[in-house]
Amino acid sequence: MNSLLVSSAETTPFFSSLPKPFSIPLFRSPNLQLVIYRRSFSVAAVQMNSKEAKLWGGRFEDSVTDAVEKFTESISFDKALYKQDIMGSRAHASMLARQGLISDDDKDSILKGLDEIEKQIERGEFVWRTDREDVHMNIEAALTDLIGEPAKKLHTARSRNDQVCTDFRLWCRDAIDAIVLRIKHLQVKLVKLALKNEGLIVPGYTHLQRAQPVLLQHLILAYVEQLERDASRLLDCRARMNFCPLGACALAGTGLPIDRFMTSEALGFTAPMRNSIDAVSDRDFVLEFLSANSITAVHLSRLGEEWVLWASEEFGFLTPSDSVSTGSSIMPQKKNPDPMELVRGKSARVIGDLVSLLVLCKGLPQAYNRDLQEDKEPVFDSVKTIMGMLEVSAEFAENITFNQERIRKALPAGHLDATTLADYLVKKGIPFRTSHDIVGKAVALCVSRNCQLEDMSLEELKNISTTFDKDVSEFLGVENSIKNFSSYGSTGSECVSSQLDYWVTKLDVSEAEG
């Protein structure tokens, strides 16, 4: 491995932040004139006039034009699959050797070479070349440069079609595992937030109008439930995607005696995919993955919307700490809940990524089409965005305070105990529709007098309905309303306490990191 010494002043402004001078790693290649190593193993290369022959170029007399090469390359983004690509190649080489299609010596050389390439990539020394098109060809060509003839045997009984599908399924599988962990982390933060606010009653809303009183813990746990379904959808998706395309080759399989079950097992798949055409053309797993991400994004956006509203002066129900707030460049008094506004906004990106994939796939004939190269960037973007949304939502949940006094002062407005009062009449034997009408008249009287239901005297209530008795006081006011909720899943204190106990146990909150 050689390197050149170059002054960063001679390079583009992109590199101006690098030390002067800085060392440029070079990967050995006769056609490479100069390589500038850009942070995170991305490179720019200036090619000499003679281009390297393509690994698929046997029948071609002319090289592709520079415009075509630039337009069709995918290495600029699919290098993210390098670890999965090397993993798949290791499994494939081991299978080929066991089936007698390559020698054990060749297998050992391939595995050793792949190990070295992986180390070079992780050290940031590997040169990604656009003339080698994609991650698969870059690694295979580099392997040939490194170990020679044995590397040419690695592509026996496989195609880039089944190779990329295998890599992508492995990458998405890992991404799902990471997202599910982030979901659990946010759930833990929300449960801890609920535990801090025991007994706090807040207005519950429908149509953004005050409806009934609910415990804040109950409202927070609603988001925990939604996130649990999000995790479940992702795990269901993971189970369906966990079938191995490797060995399907271009679309028809192979006449060589390969063992697809061996490679499938080595890569942790449930089994090989049954149909070779489906194996290389299916992108259902991607659509399902991005659909699950989109639903998660919608849930996070709703959480963001609620907290942004509650942080406004009009509500004043919560205050974010300075550590999760931003200010205004012109208005010195402003304290903005920007992270949750961006959570709300970035949900559009995640949904857009799904729509891009749906449109991409909708008109494709069987089997593989080059259009499918466009499936990766939306997936990478969706995963990066949803991971960020989950992380910042957890940070925000950890750094907000609910303004209990402000909430208590705001509670009387809206006659939140009206439905509980109607339930009181039902318990007295009055049909619900009649009870609804009676309480509606009581509310109308309160509106005209600018008072609350609990402010009405028993005599005034009896003037509306003789069914009212002195025990009605036990059903008036938000505290009594909460006490009277008793159905499974309701906002009653005992029920919410039971819900909290369930989540504390399920998420192991006492053991989870803060």
Side-chain angles (χ1 to χ4, degrees):
M1 186 65 66
N2 300 315
S3 66
L4 293 179
L5 200 62
V6 177
S7 169
S8 59
E10 299 171 1
T11 64
T12 63
F14 179 88
F15 302 97
S16 60
S17 63
L18 294 174
K20 302 178 183 181
F22 62 93
S23 179
I24 305 174
L26 293 182
F27 189 81
R28 190 176 302 161
S29 170
N31 295 317
L32 198 60
Q33 187 177 48
L34 173 66
V35 173
I36 300 174
Y37 171 57
R38 307 195 307 190
R39 295 161 291 186
S40 72
F41 63 82
S42 178
V43 300
V46 179
Q47 299 294 330
M48 301 174 79
N49 290 332
S50 58
K51 293 183 179 180
E52 180 179 78
K54 304 291 186 183
L55 294 182
W56 44 260
R59 63 150 290 176
F60 290 81
E61 295 182 1
D62 297 326
S63 300
V64 297
T65 68
D66 291 341
V68 169
E69 185 164 88
K70 183 178 179 181
F71 186 70
T72 58
E73 67 84 21
S74 61
I75 190 58
S76 57
F77 54 86
D78 69 12
K79 61 176 176 275
L81 302 174
Y82 80 89
K83 191 173 287 290
Q84 290 77 20
D85 195 73
I86 291 172
M87 186 187 310
S89 291
R90 287 188 183 114
H92 189 67
S94 297
M95 180 275 294
L96 292 176
R98 198 175 81 171
Q99 296 300 106
L101 292 168
I102 64 174
S103 70
D104 285 337
D105 286 345
D106 286 343
K107 176 201 72 172
D108 292 341
S109 294
I110 289 169
L111 295 181
K112 185 177 179 180
L114 289 172
D115 288 345
E116 174 58 27
I117 288 171
E118 185 173 32
K119 291 173 184 176
Q120 289 174 4
I121 294 171
E122 291 177 349
R123 290 195 302 259
E125 298 171 356
F126 188 83
V127 175
W128 296 107
R129 293 178 47 167
T130 56
D131 63 325
R132 289 175 174 175
E133 299 181 23
D134 57 33
V135 62
H136 324 294
M137 301 291 269
N138 264 264
I139 290 174
E140 184 179 340
L143 185 65
T144 303
D145 291 343
L146 194 63
I147 68 171
E149 198 68 19
K152 297 180 180 179
K153 301 178 183 181
L154 178 58
H155 210 55
T156 303
R158 78 174 182 186
S159 160
R160 278 192 291 175
N161 294 359
D162 61 335
Q163 191 177 356
V164 68
C165 291
T166 303
D167 294 357
F168 206 20
R169 283 173 183 263
L170 289 169
W171 190 92
C172 289
R173 192 176 73 184
D174 292 343
I176 285 174
D177 291 342
I179 293 170
V180 169
L181 285 176
R182 284 281 174 90
I183 288 174
K184 178 179 177 181
H185 181 64
L186 175 54
Q187 286 179 299
V188 168
K189 297 298 184 184
L190 290 172
V191 169
K192 288 188 172 184
L193 185 62
L195 289 169
K196 288 180 184 176
N197 290 276
E198 183 178 1
L200 180 57
I201 301 171
V202 297
Y205 294 84
T206 63
H207 311 279
L208 266 183
Q209 303 298 311
R210 291 192 167 205
Q212 290 179 275
V214 297
L215 287 171
L216 176 63
Q217 294 175 314
H218 192 54
L219 179 58
I220 292 172
L221 291 181
Y223 287 108
V224 177
E225 294 281 354
Q226 291 176 347
L227 289 165
E228 186 68 11
R229 291 194 296 274
D230 293 332
S232 177
R233 265 184 291 271
L234 286 165
L235 293 174
D236 286 348
C237 172
R238 188 190 193 282
R240 269 184 290 278
M241 76 166 54
N242 199 38
F243 289 84
C244 187
L246 199 57
C249 299
L251 80 161
T254 180
L256 295 171
I258 62 173
D259 185 347
R260 291 188 62 209
F261 287 88
M262 178 183 171
T263 49
S264 173
E265 183 178 358
L267 294 170
F269 287 109
T270 303
M273 295 184 73
R274 284 189 296 267
N275 185 292
S276 61
I277 293 175
D278 181 50
V280 298
S281 61
D282 168 56
R283 291 300 184 276
D284 290 357
F285 71 97
V286 177
L287 295 174
E288 187 177 2
F289 184 18
L290 295 198
S291 176
N293 278 355
S294 296
I295 296 172
T296 303
V298 167
H299 290 154
L300 296 175
S301 180
R302 293 182 70 182
L303 176 65
E305 168 70 1
E306 189 153 74
W307 283 357
V308 167
L309 280 175
W310 281 25
S312 68
E313 189 63 37
E314 284 70 23
F315 275 81
F317 287 179
L318 69 81
T319 301
S321 73
D322 291 352
S323 63
V324 291
S325 302
T326 63
S328 166
S329 62
I330 188 172
M331 295 169 285
Q333 85 281 9
K334 292 294 293 297
K335 182 175 179 179
N336 302 323
D338 278 10
M340 297 312 291
E341 292 179 67
L342 280 171
V343 165
R344 188 177 60 192
K346 285 180 180 290
S347 64
R349 290 181 62 136
V350 180
I351 295 167
D353 291 330
L354 169 61
V355 173
S356 294
L357 261 294
L358 287 167
V359 175
L360 175 70
C361 294
K362 78 169 186 65
L364 295 182
Q366 302 282 23
Y368 180 82
N369 298 274
R370 189 64 180 269
D371 313 51
L372 292 173
Q373 176 175 300
E374 293 298 301
D375 62 356
K376 291 163 198 67
E377 287 182 288
V379 174
F380 295 158
D381 182 69
S382 175
V383 170
K384 177 183 176 182
T385 305
I386 203 71
M387 291 281 281
M389 291 169 69
L390 287 163
E391 181 178 20
V392 81
S393 295
E395 287 278 310
F396 204 83
E398 193 174 24
N399 289 280
I400 59 175
T401 303
F402 288 96
N403 305 323
Q404 298 194 16
E405 191 58 33
R406 176 74 173 264
I407 292 169
R408 288 193 184 100
K409 288 180 179 179
L411 273 174
H415 309 99
L416 299 176
D417 50 355
T419 305
T420 307
L421 186 59
D423 289 344
Y424 165 82
L425 293 172
V426 169
K427 290 181 178 181
K428 295 289 186 177
I430 305 297
F432 179 77
R433 284 300 172 199
T434 304
S435 300
H436 187 286
D437 184 63
I438 292 169
V439 176
K441 291 175 180 177
V443 170
L445 182 60
C446 286
V447 170
S448 68
R449 295 181 177 178
N450 193 27
C451 69
Q452 301 303 313
L453 287 169
E454 61 182 326
D455 296 329
M456 296 182 69
S457 67
L458 180 57
E459 182 179 352
E460 289 172 323
L461 288 171
K462 280 184 172 292
N463 286 338
I464 298 172
S465 172
T466 57
T467 307
F468 287 116
D469 206 342
K470 59 183 179 181
D471 60 345
V472 71
S473 61
E474 298 173 10
F475 291 79
L476 292 172
V478 293
E479 289 83 4
N480 283 329
S481 287
I482 293 296
K483 290 177 184 176
N484 278 284
F485 284 109
S486 58
S487 61
Y488 177 80
S490 73
T491 194
S493 300
E494 290 187 9
C495 187
V496 171
S497 178
S498 177
Q499 291 176 43
L500 264 174
D501 288 345
Y502 170 82
W503 285 112
V504 165
T505 301
K506 182 176 176 62
L507 297 171
D508 197 17
V509 171
S510 60
E511 299 295 327
E513 293 183 5

